[in-house]
Amino acid sequence: MPYSPAAVAPTRDQTAAEPGSNPAADLRVTLEYPLPPTLPAGRGTMLFCYGHCFHRRERVAELEVMVGGDRHRPEAQRMPRLDLHRWLQQTGEDPHGHSYRSGWWATVPVPAQPAGDRLRLAARVRLESGAELTAPLDAIAIGGEPPPAAGPPLPPGTIAVCMATFEPDMSLFAGQVQSLREQTERRWVCVISDGGSRPNRLTEMRAVLQSDARFILSCSDRRLSPYRNFERALGLTPADAELVALSDQDDRWYPDKLAVLRGALGSAQLVYSDQRLVTAAGHILRDSLWHGRRHDRSNLASLLVANTAPGAAMLFRRALLDRALPFPELPGVPYHDHWLALVALSAGELAYVDRALYDYVQHGSAVQGAVTAAPSATGRRSGSRGWRDAYFGGYLARKLQAQTLLARCPSALTPRKRRALALMAAAESAPVAFAWLALRPLRRLWGRDETLGGELALACGIAWRWLVAAAVVGRERPGRRPWDASFPDPPRFEQRRLRRWRAGG
């Protein structure tokens, strides 16, 4: 992202020092990608850290990230930051040009923490002179929102429907609420997490709900992304609900949706159905999601590359939340349904209902965008920017997912699944793992085309990371062809054949 002073303001608990003879005063180490303000107690997760580190008078030889006392080597350090270098050269804050090779990023594990504690992150820096310095990076509160208040006991087998809303289209919201009320399966409650709608819109939503005790509306005090809003909704699931379903704010469920999914779950961790794509007026755009793409719900590596389980089509066991929450912090644009499907397949099996059980309404104001919309010409990225997007928004996100699954599902993973996750996590550091990823599209030759070659975009992202690291070896300042490893804001990651498939309806 283009450098600006606001983007790299000192993080919480970080103190600024004036330049001088003290080596610590000349060290500048900062996080630029935001970390979550809180983490839930008792559950481990992964964090993505991205920032810059340089010393005004000496070169930095090595950087380590310290998380609660544990040291971790970044995936990349001393990477080129052309945006930062140009800015600081104008301000005179970097007289020796050390900011050019200052970029770093890391994926770091966070073990389960006790409630009420604060997780402290720091940087340990070794200079070329041998001096070692430590600087605080951030401090994250452990605790988060309180658990939902206990309500009256739920009947055995109750399904908790978790809906995430933000400024919903009221006619579509009313239609979705009515389709819930018309379910033939009567054992359900609906928890609605609103991610920051205006007060007048919340008033309209309460009027639609009509004081129906089966609906529980909980409003966040801050704006939430869809990913975090669904995480919040799942955190509000009643403790005695046995099953969980997800709901968007603007779809139309068929009356037997919950009943059919319950009957099809069997011994699986999660079941999902097909969907029909329609306009807001009800015109059918596609009678099935699966035109032109093979459907595979058993291969974890393929699911990691390209999701096949839409969130609003899901029903899963409540115990799955013990592994799924908290959602991992991912660069780019993460999707809640992708993460839940990965956790479910890591912990067991997925089941599928081969018919549409709801209408996925396509309209211009949809939060996630219309599936059948044509790709925007301005949204495409070519050359090194496209590969940089593919690395940060594509590969790194999947690496973090794989690392989190390995940590949270150790006893449930089969050897084959464990191997797939380990290979994805190692693809940027081990040639064998990279070859595995880059050659997976050849599976199309024997009919295995469920990813539509999406691995190629991830491999290009890793190739960009290698190319940049090799190109700046021995260079401490930008050359005639400067390289830049700044974080794209936001990463516009796109697997083109998958995008064409979505738009093919």
Side-chain angles (χ1 to χ4, degrees), residues 45 112 186 239:
T45 189
R186 309 303 296 173

Side-chain angles (χ1 to χ4, degrees), residues 262-304:
R262 181 197 290 276
L265 181 60
S267 61
Q269 293 290 314
L270 180 150
V271 61
Y272 63 103
S273 72
D274 200 352
Q275 59 184 286
R276 190 173 66 166
L277 277 62
V278 303
T279 66
H283 175 67
I284 299 175
L285 300 171
R286 191 189 298 181
D287 59 9
S288 170
L289 181 65
W290 300 108
H291 288 319
R293 179 182 170 196
R294 181 177 179 269
H295 189 215
D296 186 337
R297 62 181 186 275
S298 62
N299 191 303
L300 183 58
S302 294
L303 187 68
L304 192 56

